[in-house]
Amino acid sequence: MSDPQRSAYRQPVTPSGLEAIEKGTLTWLDEDMYNNLNTGVLEQYLEEKNLRDSFEISHWDTKKVLIGILIGAVFSGVTAYIGLKIGLAVSAAWYVAYLLGMALQWSPSEINISTSATTGATNASIGFIFTFPAIFLLSSSERYKLGDVFLITSVDTFQIAFIGIIASMFAGFLGVMYFIIFRRVWLVEDPLPMPGFEATLKLLDISADVSTGAAEAARSSLKTVGISTVLTMAFMFVIDYPIKWANKMAHIPSSLADWLAMSLSGDDWGVASIYTERWIHQPSRLSDGHAVAGGITMYEPGNPFSYTFLGIELSPTLLAIGWFMKFRVAFLVNLGSIVAWFYLIPIVVYMDVPIYDPAVPMPGGGYGGYVPVTDYPLAQWKAFSSIVRTVAIGAILGGGIIGLLKMAPIFKGIFGDIASAFAGEKGEEFIEDKGWYEWPLTHIPIFMGIAFIAIIVVFALGGFPVLPSVIFAVILLTTTFLLGAIAVRVMGETGIEPVSGTSFIVLLLLLLIFLNVDVGLDKEQSVMIALVGTTVFGSAISMSGTVVGDYKNSLYIGNRPYHISKGNIMGVVPGAILGAAVAIFLSKLLADGAIDLQAPQANAFATFTIILAEGQGNLSALAIGFALGAFVEWATGMGTSFGLGMYLPTPITFPMLIGGFSRDWWEKKKLAPKVEAIRLKEGSAASEKQRALMLLFTFMIAAGALTGEAFYGVEAAILALLDGRPIGATSWWPAGRLIGFLLLNVILGFIIYVLFRKAGIIGVGSEDEGDDGGDSGGSGDSGGGSGAPAVIDAELAD
């Protein structure tokens, strides 16, 4: 076992954990494992253990994998809706797959492999959620009209759908393949923490209890997760469900919490001045008793709150992510937000910096000019979206590149693996007389060639000339590897993968080439191929993020990486087709104004594209951000996290800070004294076990928070879609909607109860269990695997 290098993420190994490693007694899902996550020593020990023992644990079952793919494909469409609605690609698919597997008494290994296919299906169409809608916005939305014309004059939906879906499939395969070679670097040698994976790991622990007959331990764990999930959904109902239907139709905050806030307000000030639609925010003057512009302070010279925006979203998911991050990482993410909202944005507004607006008539004819930022009512948000977010993209890029350069010694072995792959040599991925441990590296160069040719053919068949198709294929192969590495590192630090942040860089690169180099394209064709190409890239790095998340959990429970890769690859095709189809359908409705969705990333891409197409790109802001991110990376080792914080508004980042601070406070004030008292009374071994169990209890609560908000989000998305159909205009719909929502949850709860009772999870007395009870820490030979990324499948934005 090599001596792992120190990193910003490394946790110290515990004495009992080190002793168990030296004796070889530490095993999957036991207390010593939980106490030593992300130590590096543990990960290298488990990698060696898995090479020996995983073949007895990790088995492929095609029928169960197909069930996982079916769940993921269905939820890929739901995820598309949620992503367009709120800019947050949250999926409950992995949890549904976990619950089903547990109810059917699958082994943890089978659940993990099945859900790797589930997450492959849900992530294969992420590019269609964030980038693709910009095509329709630029072709038919009045907001992006250049005077009396559109930047894109016509769209052949079938043509671009064909290109995007087929190319995204090959790109998704490529994203999985590339990160086979990074697995050992970021999961074994220098393990990224990936905040939130502990929740998934705990669910696997519960499934081990169920499948091995330890039903009492499983009941206790499921009860905690279940209560947390139910309470979270109830909380979300209070703050989000449109109980006041008349308010909703008038575009006034309509939840029970909003109605209460407005009832406790006057015409100008009151509770609604500081609470609006899930946000506790800085004071804002009201209009007729309700907040204007979502509680954002309108620009008013001399009013300090109109130069920034500070708020906290009441999101259990964000608090849970902060809990997993702990304070240091959460603070560094927030440091980016603090710099953006306390320094950069106030300066931009105070100096009244001109902002480029494509709708402004030019004196000599044409459209597109600069407007002082204070001419916009929401000046601070215009400064954020137009200038500061460009700085943030540069910071993510600068921090990521410097971080990769700092890791150069670690990458020596990886580049050796790449060389071996091209030379056709065979490494440890194949074990004689046993089979494949991980996907063969020799397939990477082969598939690179296949993907290169396939993408050229697809774009050429779709109507683009061969030369730009070749250029894009080269860019895709290189950026998926390099920028994908940066995006995955951000995810490993924060639990959030910046899909649109890195996609902005690809869009910038493609537009600079196609708009300025004569490759046989006019301006409209250049914009089209750039946006379709960026869509394909987004799907590729989303697959990189999900496979690395799956690898992370599988390391701790003994599954073979080969099966994880295979599951993700199998999920790509159906997920790309169904998810893209839903996203395209919703994108057309969005651009036509037939459905009310925020689509923050799509709007940002549309704005960014117009700026670059009209020759007004702010490269100086990008360069400033690059330098800032590089400096923070050099100083703290967390430059990419800092850049992500700049990219997000404060209502998203501040709850993470609260969660991280709460975790540290709880460990110092509550956990440490109890553990120390046990150590003095019963010894170190007993104290470390109790520490692990207490931490696990908090992880189960956090798991319920994550899944509860995801479940509510899925249901709310379906109902919101129906709101925009003819049924939503009927007089009985508000009452029917509420009754249907309640009945849906009762029916789902009943189905889960029946499945779990049939599986012996609930409704069975302890007298029926015999001596099958087990410890909640799991057993060494029970096996297991990872599921989906436990936090957010893609990204938070806007």
Side-chain angles (χ1 to χ4, degrees), residues 327-598:
F327 181 73
R328 181 178 182 274
V329 176
F331 174 76
L332 286 169
V333 171
N334 269 268
L335 187 59
S337 287
I338 290 169
V339 169
W341 291 93
F342 284 84
Y343 181 69
L344 295 179
I345 292 172
I347 286 179
V348 171
V349 177
Y350 177 77
M351 297 181 66
D352 205 8
V353 176
I355 301 294
Y356 179 75
D357 191 330
V360 175
M362 298 292 288
Y367 291 84
Y370 284 85
V371 179
V373 70
T374 55
D375 282 10
Y376 296 93
L378 306 179
Q380 70 276 56
W381 279 81
K382 191 65 178 179
F384 170 61
S385 62
S386 60
I387 295 179
V388 174
R389 193 157 257 184
T390 304
V391 176
I393 293 168
I396 292 172
L397 179 61
I401 289 177
I402 298 302
L404 292 175
L405 291 176
K406 287 168 62 177
M407 297 174 66
I410 299 174
F411 277 91
K412 288 181 180 179
I414 290 301
F415 290 124
D417 288 341
I418 297 173
S420 298
F422 279 95
E425 296 178 14
K426 184 166 61 179
E428 288 188 323
E429 69 267 10
F430 185 80
I431 307 299
E432 293 293 340
D433 301 323
K434 292 185 177 180
W436 293 106
Y437 175 70
E438 59 183 332
W439 200 278
L441 288 172
T442 52
H443 286 193
I444 297 174
I446 296 173
F447 192 80
M448 287 174 65
I450 294 173
F452 181 76
I453 295 172
I455 287 171
I456 294 173
V457 171
V458 168
F459 273 78
L461 290 175
F464 291 105
V466 173
L467 179 57
S469 300
V470 172
I471 292 172
F472 169 70
V474 171
I475 291 174
L476 178 68
L477 262 64
T478 54
T479 55
T480 300
F481 185 85
L482 297 175
L483 294 181
I486 294 172
V488 169
R489 188 181 173 205
V490 173
M491 186 190 75
E493 294 175 359
T494 66
I496 304 167
E497 187 177 16
V499 174
S500 64
T502 48
S503 295
F504 269 118
I505 299 168
V506 173
L507 180 62
L508 172 63
L509 180 61
L510 293 174
L511 287 174
L512 287 176
I513 293 174
F514 294 136
L515 289 172
N516 297 289
V517 179
D518 186 8
V519 293
L521 298 174
D522 58 26
K523 180 187 290 187
E524 182 173 341
Q525 289 177 317
S526 297
V527 169
M528 285 288 290
I529 193 172
L531 287 171
V532 174
T534 305
T535 298
V536 174
F537 167 81
S539 295
I541 67 164
S542 294
M543 289 304 302
S544 296
T546 191
V547 75
V548 170
D550 289 336
Y551 286 152
K552 175 75 171 179
N553 285 282
S554 67
L555 175 67
Y556 293 115
I557 41 72
N559 250 0
R560 285 188 266 168
Y562 174 77
H563 284 155
I564 302 303
S565 302
K566 187 177 177 181
N568 272 275
I569 289 171
M570 285 188 64
V572 168
V573 174
I577 294 172
L578 187 56
V582 174
I584 292 169
F585 170 71
L586 294 174
S587 296
K588 295 185 69 174
L589 294 178
L590 172 69
D592 294 338
I595 191 170
D596 183 21
L597 298 173
Q598 292 186 31

Side-chain angles (χ1 to χ4, degrees), residues 293-308:
I296 303 172
T297 307
M298 309 292 278
Y299 177 70
E300 179 184 351
N303 182 350
F305 291 122
S306 65
Y307 292 78
T308 188

Side-chain angles (χ1 to χ4, degrees), residues 59 136 216 218 388 450 509 528 540 598 633 646 652 682 751:
H59 300 290
F136 296 96
E216 187 59 39
V388 174
I450 294 173
L509 180 61
M528 285 288 290
Q598 292 186 31
E633 174 63 33
M646 294 185 69
I652 302 298
E682 303 179 32
I751 292 172

Side-chain angles (χ1 to χ4, degrees), residues 739-760:
I739 294 171
F741 175 82
L742 296 175
L743 282 177
L744 174 64
N745 285 285
V746 170
I747 292 171
L748 287 175
F750 179 74
I751 292 172
I752 292 173
Y753 173 81
V754 171
L755 287 173
F756 277 22
R757 184 179 179 86
K758 183 178 180 181

Side-chain angles (χ1 to χ4, degrees), residues 24-379:
T25 57
L26 188 150
T27 192
W28 306 297
L29 301 176
D30 67 12
E31 287 80 8
D32 280 320
M33 189 204 79
Y34 277 109
N35 272 331
N36 290 279
L37 299 176
N38 295 315
T39 59
V41 176
L42 170 70
E43 284 73 18
Q44 292 188 45
Y45 167 83
L46 288 176
E47 176 74 356
E48 295 175 5
K49 177 179 175 61
N50 292 346
L51 279 166
R52 297 190 310 268
D53 303 336
S54 63
F55 294 90
E56 303 299 323
I57 301 297
S58 184
H59 300 290
W60 182 269
D61 188 319
T62 301
K63 179 181 177 181
K64 293 171 182 175
V65 170
L66 291 175
I67 292 174
I69 291 174
L70 177 62
I71 295 171
V74 171
F75 273 89
S76 67
V78 178
T79 302
Y81 183 85
I82 297 175
L84 284 170
K85 179 177 174 61
I86 60 176
L88 206 151
V90 179
S91 174
W94 63 273
Y95 192 59
V96 171
Y98 267 61
L99 290 178
L100 181 61
M102 291 166 66
L104 297 176
Q105 293 186 290
W106 295 354
S107 72
S109 175
E110 292 169 332
I111 293 174
N112 164 232
I113 295 171
S114 174
T115 52
S116 70
T118 302
T119 55
T122 54
N123 282 273
S125 60
I126 292 296
F128 285 88
I129 300 172
F130 294 143
T131 309
F132 206 74
I135 295 174
F136 296 96
L137 291 173
L138 292 173
S139 65
S140 56
S141 175
E142 292 294 324
R143 294 176 55 190
Y144 295 100
K145 214 170 186 181
L146 294 168
D148 56 353
V149 298
F150 292 103
L151 183 62
I152 298 176
T153 57
S154 64
V155 175
D156 186 332
T157 303
F158 179 80
Q159 176 192 26
I160 60 173
F162 165 78
I163 298 172
I165 292 173
I166 302 299
S168 290
M169 291 179 188
F170 282 96
F173 300 150
L174 192 66
V176 174
M177 290 283 186
Y178 271 165
F179 278 81
I180 293 169
I181 61 177
F182 283 94
R183 187 188 67 84
R184 187 168 184 87
V185 173
W186 283 336
L187 300 182
V188 179
E189 298 291 344
D190 193 28
L192 291 168
M194 295 191 184
F197 87 94
E198 299 96 334
T200 314
L201 194 59
K202 181 54 193 173
L203 290 175
L204 285 163
D205 198 340
I206 296 171
S207 69
D209 292 332
V210 173
S211 64
T212 56
E216 187 59 39
R219 284 196 201 105
S220 177
S221 297
L222 283 171
K223 183 178 179 180
T224 302
V225 176
I227 291 174
S228 178
T229 300
V230 170
L231 291 177
T232 298
M233 293 187 71
F235 176 73
M236 295 303 301
F237 177 85
V238 170
I239 68 172
D240 190 71
Y241 189 89
I243 200 74
K244 301 290 290 183
W245 193 254
N247 286 359
K248 176 180 170 62
M249 294 297 98
H251 302 287
I252 296 172
S254 56
S255 71
L256 185 62
D258 283 310
W259 172 75
L260 182 61
M262 288 186 287
S263 299
L264 298 176
S265 303
D267 291 337
D268 297 323
W269 297 97
V271 176
S273 298
I274 58 172
Y275 175 81
T276 310
E277 295 180 294
R278 298 175 57 173
W279 284 6
I280 297 174
H281 52 74
Q282 63 189 33
S284 176
R285 186 181 294 274
L286 305 177
S287 175
D288 296 326
H290 64 85
V292 181
I296 303 172
T297 307
M298 309 292 278
Y299 177 70
E300 179 184 351
N303 182 350
F305 291 122
S306 65
Y307 292 78
T308 188
F309 183 80
L310 310 177
I312 298 171
E313 180 172 345
L314 299 182
S315 168
T317 290
L318 296 174
L319 289 169
I321 293 172
W323 185 271
F324 290 125
M325 281 182 180
K326 301 189 70 173
F327 181 73
R328 181 178 182 274
V329 176
F331 174 76
L332 286 169
V333 171
N334 269 268
L335 187 59
S337 287
I338 290 169
V339 169
W341 291 93
F342 284 84
Y343 181 69
L344 295 179
I345 292 172
I347 286 179
V348 171
V349 177
Y350 177 77
M351 297 181 66
D352 205 8
V353 176
I355 301 294
Y356 179 75
D357 191 330
V360 175
M362 298 292 288
Y367 291 84
Y370 284 85
V371 179
V373 70
T374 55
D375 282 10
Y376 296 93
L378 306 179

